[in-house]
Amino acid sequence: MTAEAAQLGYANAPKGGYRSRAMAIVSPPPKRLVMTLLLAGSAVAGLTGLAVLPAMAQRAPGAGDPAGAARIPPITQPPSATIMAEPVALFIGATDADDDARVTRAEMRAGVTRSFASIEKARPESLGYIELADWAERWLGDRNALPSAYETDSDGDNRITLTELTAQIDKTFTRFDRNKDDVLVRSELLTLDSARGNGLDQRGQRRRQPQ
């Protein structure tokens, strides 16, 4: 055995020599073994990615998670019930003459008289239906706000007198007066609009569906 053969780890190496252990170690592996290792690595990486996806979904509610999305309401979605005030309630609240945040029936009636006198009318003693719409637009904010001309015109003569208008607002005052003390406070003038989306109008009656 030559010194070179001993250094490279030959065992009884002939002149032609054998491949040393060191040379066998550093020699490139067969191509089939390389492909096997690459395929095994790809499979492991794919399984790892599948295991990570559920964890990512759990950390991000709403992203591919219907239950998570339900916990985040859309910005444009209105609340199911909101505090509101009917136009006629706003009018009654504005008749509070002494600013004590309480409206008596006498204050309400005086406010109706003042509002009635403020509307220019062809016949001073009464309002026509169009003139009542003018009154509603000015004092209730909308020409179609309740009370309507049909329910206010008690004698059906197509005219609204001060007496008829006062009587109709009196009925509304009584409806708002929950504790029946003949005085309305602000909390009684507010209502919970829970009827929204249930097909009910502002009086709690079923709306007629268009034909």
Side-chain angles (χ1 to χ4, degrees):
M1 182 183 297
T2 65
E4 182 181 359
Q7 183 179 359
L8 294 176
Y10 281 93
N12 300 319
K15 290 183 179 181
Y18 296 104
R19 298 179 64 188
S20 67
R21 294 189 187 95
M23 292 178 64
I25 292 173
V26 299
S27 297
K31 292 183 179 180
R32 182 176 299 177
L33 177 60
V34 172
M35 294 300 298
T36 302
L37 292 174
L38 289 176
L39 291 175
S42 300
V44 171
L47 292 175
T48 304
L50 292 176
V52 169
L53 286 176
M56 293 176 63
Q58 291 177 4
R59 290 194 296 269
D65 179 12
R71 291 193 293 268
I72 305 175
I75 296 176
T76 57
Q77 179 180 350
S80 58
T82 55
I83 296 175
M84 53 87 69
E86 298 177 30
V88 68
L90 298 177
F91 168 76
I92 293 174
T95 64
D96 176 19
D98 57 4
D99 297 325
D100 64 349
R102 295 162 54 87
V103 180
T104 65
R105 197 176 291 268
E107 286 177 320
M108 179 273 294
R109 289 173 177 171
V112 173
T113 300
R114 290 192 301 271
S115 69
F116 190 91
S118 71
I119 301 300
E120 185 177 350
K121 39 195 175 293
R123 292 164 55 179
E125 73 281 0
S126 62
L127 298 172
Y129 281 17
I130 294 178
E131 293 167 333
L132 183 66
D134 294 338
W135 175 88
E137 182 176 32
R138 179 170 184 178
W139 294 100
L140 306 184
D142 189 274
R143 298 180 71 83
N144 297 313
L146 298 176
S148 70
Y150 298 101
E151 63 182 339
T152 305
D153 182 15
S154 58
D155 58 7
D157 66 347
N158 296 327
R159 303 293 300 178
I160 308 297
T161 64
L162 174 60
T163 301
E164 287 175 322
L165 183 58
T166 303
Q168 186 62 43
I169 304 298
D170 256 332
K171 293 178 183 177
T172 305
F173 188 102
T174 301
R175 174 166 64 87
F176 286 144
D177 188 15
R178 292 194 290 266
N179 60 0
K180 306 307 177 186
D181 64 349
D182 231 28
V183 174
L184 292 180
V185 296
R186 293 302 187 266
S187 61
E188 291 175 303
L189 294 173
L190 298 177
T191 56
L192 190 64
D193 188 20
S194 57
R196 180 180 298 176
N198 294 332
L200 304 179
D201 61 19
Q202 60 182 329
R203 292 174 294 176
Q205 298 176 353
R206 182 67 58 181
R207 295 191 186 96
R208 293 183 179 181
Q209 299 297 326
Q211 300 297 327

